[in-house]
Amino acid sequence: MTKKIVVLGSLNVDSIMKMPRMPLVGETMALTDVTTAPGGKGANQAVAAARQGAQVAFIGAVGQDNNGHFMRQTLADQAVDVAAIQTNATVPTGSAYIMLQDNGANTILIHGGANQALTVDDLDEELIAQADTLIAQFEVPLAVITAAFKMAKAHNVQTVLNPAPAVYEVTPTLANLTDIILPNETEAQLLTGITVENDLAVLNQVSDAILATGVARSIITLGEAGSFIADGANRWWAKPKKVAAVDTTAAGDTFIGTLASELAADFSNLVDAVDRASTASAIAVTRPGAIPSIPTREEVDQF
């Protein structure tokens, strides 16, 4: 049966600036290339889920501008339902500025625009109620995410939270509404106050702190070190697929969208879902760009 996913999230137009390395303070450096591409964590995760065969709908907002039309059309072209995307006439479409180094590492600056102007009134409860899974990130207002998760749990819809970027605290209310949370190592550190290291004892300590907030289970994504999963007392370290990284921009979003597309309602297949998400993420980092790098189901099968 095709899984139904609703993504509540951000829509950004990305400006990708390629450079040998990050400039020093006060330094002027020549870029090696500049490109523009569709992005935003919400858009990336929606496309990742859709390319894995899920039926995906999007709740979000764009400005009344060319970038807004571009983002709406981009998702529609990927078979994502865009009917619940609002158009805001007073603020521009969100934007991101990605500084991509030659080694594949990236640093990202974001202007929220219409994403941050989203309101609770913009939520479509009927759409959420019909879903199997609701995904959200921290690039839209916390009050909107919390309201959407309340709607989801009222209708027994699985909730997936990506607390990125870590601009909000995960409140007790939101934690108790979250079935699984997926921070990267930086976000996990900001959430718990514990310095994240690729050490089993430390990762267990961080996971304990995350679950103590009331979240049912967590996955800490660790980049080249894979991911660490905590499902109650059941813990394991999923090692990464070895590939040559070109651009890590959409790695985490590919992981989350793929995972959500595979998860059973009771999380009974979490091990297999993580493995598939790891494979999709590994493929994505071997390609430049965000949405263009996200693999299809067939590509993951063939890896």
Side-chain angles (χ1 to χ4, degrees):
M1 186 176 70
T2 301
K3 189 166 184 184
K4 294 181 179 179
I5 294 176
V6 170
V7 177
L8 165 64
S10 55
L11 298 161
N12 293 328
V13 173
D14 295 345
S15 295
I16 304 160
M17 299 170 284
K18 296 184 179 180
M19 59 192 70
R21 57 172 173 77
M22 288 295 292
L24 303 175
V25 175
E27 179 183 11
T28 298
M29 177 184 289
L31 299 174
T32 55
D33 193 19
V34 179
T35 56
T36 301
K41 290 183 178 298
N44 296 341
Q45 291 170 21
V47 170
R51 288 187 181 168
Q52 293 305 307
Q55 181 179 327
V56 183
F58 201 95
I59 298 175
V62 294
Q64 194 170 17
D65 48 33
N66 290 336
N67 282 345
H69 175 76
F70 173 58
M71 290 305 304
R72 192 188 295 274
Q73 190 61 51
T74 295
L75 291 189
D77 289 345
Q78 297 297 323
V80 174
D81 182 349
V82 298
I85 295 177
Q86 307 296 316
T87 299
N88 191 315
T90 61
V91 292
T93 300
S95 54
Y97 303 88
I98 301 168
M99 291 166 280
L100 177 62
Q101 301 174 63
D102 284 349
N103 64 4
N106 67 68
T107 302
I108 304 174
L109 301 171
I110 293 173
H111 178 251
N115 299 312
Q116 283 298 316
L118 198 68
T119 70
V120 172
D121 290 340
D122 294 325
L123 295 173
D124 185 332
E125 184 168 1
E126 183 177 352
L127 183 66
I128 292 171
Q130 294 170 353
D132 298 305
T133 300
L134 172 66
I135 308 172
Q137 324 81 38
F138 277 179
E139 289 183 342
V140 296
L142 183 62
V144 179
I145 298 167
T146 303
F149 273 37
K150 285 179 179 178
M151 293 174 187
K153 299 320 295 179
H155 298 283
N156 297 313
V157 175
Q158 183 183 69
T159 51
V160 176
L161 180 63
N162 175 213
V167 293
Y168 309 128
E169 291 185 12
V170 178
T171 64
T173 298
L174 183 59
N176 286 311
L177 295 167
T178 300
D179 290 321
I180 187 166
I181 190 169
L182 294 101
N184 65 19
E185 59 265 54
T186 301
E187 293 146 7
Q189 182 170 321
L190 290 170
L191 289 172
T192 64
I194 301 170
T195 300
V196 177
E197 301 174 11
N198 292 336
D199 174 86
L200 186 60
V202 173
L203 291 172
N204 270 305
Q205 183 185 11
V206 175
S207 297
D208 287 342
I210 292 172
L211 297 193
T213 66
V215 176
R217 51 192 64 79
S218 68
I219 299 177
I220 304 170
T221 55
L222 301 166
E224 293 180 355
S227 56
F228 189 78
I229 300 90
D231 186 5
N234 192 18
R235 310 288 173 92
W236 69 98
W237 195 333
K239 298 302 182 180
K241 315 291 180 176
K242 294 298 183 182
V243 295
V246 172
D247 181 357
T248 61
T249 302
D253 295 332
T254 299
F255 185 100
I256 291 165
T258 303
L259 182 87
S261 73
E262 296 296 314
L263 278 176
D266 60 359
F267 291 89
S268 58
N269 68 338
L270 186 54
V271 172
D272 290 339
V274 167
D275 184 69
R276 186 172 186 88
S278 298
T279 299
S281 183
I283 295 171
V285 301
T286 65
R287 304 166 174 174
I291 285 176
S293 74
I294 299 170
T296 64
R297 187 170 193 86
E298 292 72 22
E299 288 174 322
V300 176
D301 289 340
Q302 292 168 11
F303 184 84

